[in-house]
């Protein structure tokens, strides 16, 4: 009987929805799925979309409704996303068969097509009149629900009907189901689990919705921007084979980015494949992966304007300027080399970039990736996903990344290595999006073979070339001016962030990347990863990343004296089960030769960290040392005190918090508090909590916003900073954290929530305007 009742309830609810739909049709006429394909023009008495409506949507709605993890796939970051509507299918789920992609701007060209793909409207698509737009608009009804049922104004939310877990069961309600939804879930109005809109904001949005959601396209870019677009598209669409292969390489690395020009930095563009050449309207080629067969004889690479609001969890900005264009031309076009023939699009080959782009100079490819290394590495966290605990539990919470310096000798060695090892460098994505674990053993064997070839090649070179010694001096220093020479990665459980520079005195681990490893990471985790793929594909990607992470760690340990490497490796992998192969378990097996770096202390690993900091100091960004922060010396002492906190007290802090420091007479300051959770190792797929080492946890206070998903927000006068630091240092339980929140926190229910959020975003835009974007509040804790 207990199984029949839910079915009976669903049947009754479904019948009721059909009845209400008929009633709406009788009152306001049938729905027109193509209504918003011809957006209503702006009206005299209606709020202006760009000046009045869009800012409210950005700062009150987009914080949850953007990217793939938007509830019910309702993406409110653009007008197109709003009119597309919602879909109950969850993108982040365990599926046995790959899902059809639903990427906004790619997989359907109008709302009629989206309706055929299972999306339903949240705006009224029946007869356009104020009453119909109120009664038949899901968005209007949810805003009104929140106004009528604002929820508590203090303390945590205790309603059993409010579930804030990421994997909660979605309820995606259509207009015809809103009456029943409001009766049973009155507390679930929008913004969900946050304070209601201010009266003026509510009036603006509802008046706009009542007016039929009028819209006008944004003003076009200036003629100067149009000329720069033409220059870039000219470079990307040359007719000769070399130009076409170079453009393909650039696209497969840049397709995830947002590009702007200095003269109008507020306008972003994306790089797409089009059926049409420059000068004609873009006809986008939509494929599951950037290297899939486009289905046309030739594609053109075009810059398409983005109307969507930039959100921190996916925003990867790059400025296109004459200097960058000149660098690319110098890397790829200065030398004369043949490209014959052009590679095709066979899935077994395109997933292996070393085969596809073999004709392009290795040094050019590597320098292209290094030039924006933060962008390239950040793509692993921001590119094809918005959420990824399965993918991200393969990395530590705090690690450094440095790079082998590019150069003629390094390029020649890499070219010879790739020629010898190319057959062993296939990636799981060659099985497309429905790969399973049955292919895992073959990839494990290939990786073992590759490491064997690589180790022998390095040893052989070291034996014949006395000058070839791996040392700190052989690491890339950014050519003395590029801060991408070193990166720090922070993992926040199921999200991660990447900062330029070496952050923190001592990381949990470190990676040394050369071109082959850097490229494989990109094609594994970005170009080849499919968020719509089946569980086998996603799990195989995670397991293969184990190989790549360990290879990078062993590269780094090769900088140590040969007798010290195993000690460091064993510490990084305490309690590890049997390694995938002997190269990962035995540091001397991986690279038996000694390094060329001299050591004077009895703690060479600590000494190595210091050497790295010294070598990369010239390209270190001032904000990492709080230079220019306008905080007093006494306040900086407290900030540094926080960054020295370790152990059990720190383990009670949220993964990522934002601290807003109010300074009378001066601008507010945002501080990111990052808790680095320690683990005995990250070589196992499950039971993460069993590998936790809370006594080794650490906290870092970072100037500005570092991360897209704050778990907690604190706000206090700067003079209270010593009290806050002392309270954090004395945390001993969950109850203590609740007291900290009561004293300094800005909870979900706090009337100060939206003003505090606005202040954080304003401070971020002021300090780093080219990187600031909208934060995601879906991970905010409820305590």
């Amino acid at each position: 009987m207990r199984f029949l009742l839910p079915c009976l309830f669903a049947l009754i609810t479904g019948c009721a929805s059909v009845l209400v739909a008929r009633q709406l049709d009788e009152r306001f006429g049938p729905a027109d799925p193509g209504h918003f394909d011809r957006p209503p023009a702006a009206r005299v008495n209606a709020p202006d979309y760009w000046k009045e409506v869009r800012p409210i949507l950005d700062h009150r709605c987009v914080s949850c409704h953007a990217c793939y993890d938007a509830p019910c796939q309702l993406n409110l970051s653009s007008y197109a996303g709003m009119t597309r509507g919602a879909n109950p299918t969850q993108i982040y789920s365990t599926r046995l068969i790959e899902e059809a992609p639903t990427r906004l701007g790619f997989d359907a060209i109008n709302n009629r097509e989206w309706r055929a793909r299972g999306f339903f409207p949240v705006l009224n698509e029946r007869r356009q009149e104020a009453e119909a737009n109120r009664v038949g608009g899901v968005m209007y009804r949810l805003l009104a629900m929140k106004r009528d049922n604002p929820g508590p104004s203090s303390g945590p939310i205790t309603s059993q009907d409010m579930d804030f877990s990421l994997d909660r069961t979605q309820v995606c309600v259509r207009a015809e189901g809103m009456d029943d939804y409001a009766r049973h879930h009155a507390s679930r109005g929008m913004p969900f689990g946050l304070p209601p809109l201010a009266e003026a904001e509510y009036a603006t949005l509802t008046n706009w919705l009542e007016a039929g959601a009028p819209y006008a396209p944004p003003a076009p870019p200036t003629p100067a921007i149009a000329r720069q677009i033409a220059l870039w598209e000219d470079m990307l669409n040359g007719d000769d084979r070399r130009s076409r292969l170079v453009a393909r390489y650039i696209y497969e690395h840049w397709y995830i980015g947002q590009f702007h020009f200095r003269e109008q930095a507020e306008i972003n563009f994306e790089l797409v494949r089009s059926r049409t050449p420059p000068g004609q309207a873009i006809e986008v080629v939509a494929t599951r992966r950037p290297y899939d067969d486009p289905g046309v004889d030739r594609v053109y690479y075009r810059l398409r304007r983005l109307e969507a609001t930039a959100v921190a969890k996916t925003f990867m900005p790059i400025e296109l300027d004459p200097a960058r264009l000149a660098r690319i031309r110098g890397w790829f076009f200065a030398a004369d080399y043949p490209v014959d023939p052009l590679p095709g699009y066979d899935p077994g080959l395109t997933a292996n970039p070393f085969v596809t782009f073999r004709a392009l100079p290795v040094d050019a490819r590597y320098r292209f990736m290094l030039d924006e290394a933060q962008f390239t590495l950040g793509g692993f966290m921001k590119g094809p996903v918005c959420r990824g605990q399965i993918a991200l539990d393969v990395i530590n919470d705090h690690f450094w990344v440095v790079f082998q310096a590019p150069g003629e000798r390094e390029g020649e060695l890499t070219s010879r290595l790739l020629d010898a090892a190319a057959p062993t460098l296939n990636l799981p994505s060659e099985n497309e999006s429905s790969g399973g674990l049955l292919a895992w053993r073959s990839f494990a064997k290939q990786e073992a073979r590759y490491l064997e070839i690589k180790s022998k090649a390095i040893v052989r070179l070291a034996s014949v070339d006395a000058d070839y010694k791996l040392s700190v001096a052989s690491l890339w220093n950014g050519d003395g001016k590029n801060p991408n020479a070193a990166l720090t990665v922070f993992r926040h459980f199921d999200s991660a962030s990447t900062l330029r520079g070496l952050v923190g005195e001592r990381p949990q681990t470190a990676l040394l990347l050369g071109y082959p490893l850097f490229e494989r990471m990109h094609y594994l985790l970005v170009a080849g990863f499919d968020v719509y793929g089946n569980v086998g594909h996603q799990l195989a990607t995670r397991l293969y990343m184990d190989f790549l992470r360990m290879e990078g760690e062993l590269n780094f340990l090769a900088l140590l004296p040969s007798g010290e490497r195993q000690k460091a490796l064993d510490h990084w992998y305490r309690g590890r089960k049997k390694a995938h192969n002997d190269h990962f378990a035995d540091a001397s097996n991986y690279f038996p030769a000694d390094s060329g770096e001299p050591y004077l202390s009895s703690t060479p690993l600590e000494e190595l960290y210091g050497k790295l900091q010294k070598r990369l100091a010239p390209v270190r960004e001032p904000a990492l040392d709080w230079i220019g922060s306008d905080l007093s010396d006494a306040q900086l002492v407290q900030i540094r005190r926080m960054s020295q906190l370790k152990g059990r007290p720190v383990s009670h802090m949220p993964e990522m918090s934002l601290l807003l420091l109010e300074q009378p007479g001066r601008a507010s300051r945002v501080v990111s508090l990052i808790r680095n959770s320690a683990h005995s190792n990250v070589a196992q797929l499950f039971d993460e909590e069993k590998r936790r080492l809370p006594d080794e946890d650490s906290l870092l206070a970072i100037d500005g916003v570092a991360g897209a998903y704050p778990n907690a927000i604190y706000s206090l006068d700067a003079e209270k900073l010593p009290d806050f630091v002392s309270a954090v240092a004395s945390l001993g339980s969950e109850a203590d954290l609740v007291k900290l929140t009561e004293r300094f926190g800005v909870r979900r229910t706090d009337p100060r929530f939206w003003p505090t959020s606005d202040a954080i975003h304003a401070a971020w835009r002021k300090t780093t305007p080219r990187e600031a974007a909208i934060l995601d509040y879906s991970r905010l804790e409820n305590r």
Side-chain angles (χ1 to χ4, degrees), residues 32 47 72 208 251 310 320 340 352 398 425 534 651 664 713 731-732 769:
D32 175 12
C72 301
W208 180 73
Y251 169 73
L320 300 181
D340 188 25
N352 188 334
H398 176 209
L425 296 176
N534 75 347
S651 70
I713 296 175
L731 290 175

Side-chain angles (χ1 to χ4, degrees), residues 507-522:
Q508 292 171 339
T509 60
L511 276 64
L512 169 56
L513 307 185
Y515 167 69
L517 185 52
F518 206 13
E519 191 76 277
R520 290 159 75 205
M521 285 184 172
H522 174 77

Side-chain angles (χ1 to χ4, degrees), residues 546-625:
D546 260 345
F547 291 156
L548 304 189
R549 184 203 67 248
M550 288 186 283
E551 184 182 340
E553 290 167 342
L554 286 166
N555 286 344
F556 180 81
L557 293 179
L559 289 164
L560 291 173
S562 57
E564 295 289 333
R565 297 171 193 161
Q566 193 64 44
K567 184 195 306 181
L569 182 63
D570 291 342
H571 181 75
W572 287 356
Y573 287 91
R574 287 168 283 176
R576 170 173 67 176
K577 297 178 181 178
K578 180 175 172 56
H580 297 300
N581 63 61
D582 291 339
H583 286 87
F584 290 138
D586 186 347
S588 62
N589 192 19
Y590 177 78
F591 183 64
D594 213 340
S595 77
E597 187 66 34
Y599 291 89
L600 302 176
S601 72
S602 59
T603 54
L605 182 58
E606 300 296 325
E607 189 176 346
L608 175 57
Y609 290 145
K611 287 172 179 280
L612 290 178
Q613 292 170 322
K614 182 177 180 180
R615 174 165 175 78
L616 298 167
V619 294
R620 184 175 176 83
E621 295 189 318
L624 295 180
D625 300 307

Side-chain angles (χ1 to χ4, degrees), residues 441-488:
R441 291 185 181 275
S442 65
F443 285 115
K445 291 178 181 178
Q446 287 183 15
E447 177 68 10
R449 176 59 180 155
Y450 167 70
L451 293 179
E452 182 180 351
I453 294 172
K454 176 183 175 182
S455 298
K456 289 180 178 178
I458 294 174
V459 170
R460 185 163 54 249
L461 179 63
S463 66
V464 299
D465 186 348
D467 294 331
Y468 187 81
K469 292 286 187 181
L470 188 61
S471 66
V472 172
S474 67
L475 304 182
W476 186 49
N477 67 350
D479 302 318
K481 57 187 177 183
N482 191 333
N484 284 280
L487 304 173
T488 299

Side-chain angles (χ1 to χ4, degrees), residues 147-168:
R147 189 189 192 201
D148 295 339
N149 302 275
S153 58
S154 63
I157 295 174
T158 57
S159 170
Q160 296 298 310
D161 196 39
M162 301 293 284
D163 182 358
F164 297 110
S165 62
L166 286 179
D167 297 321
R168 65 182 179 267

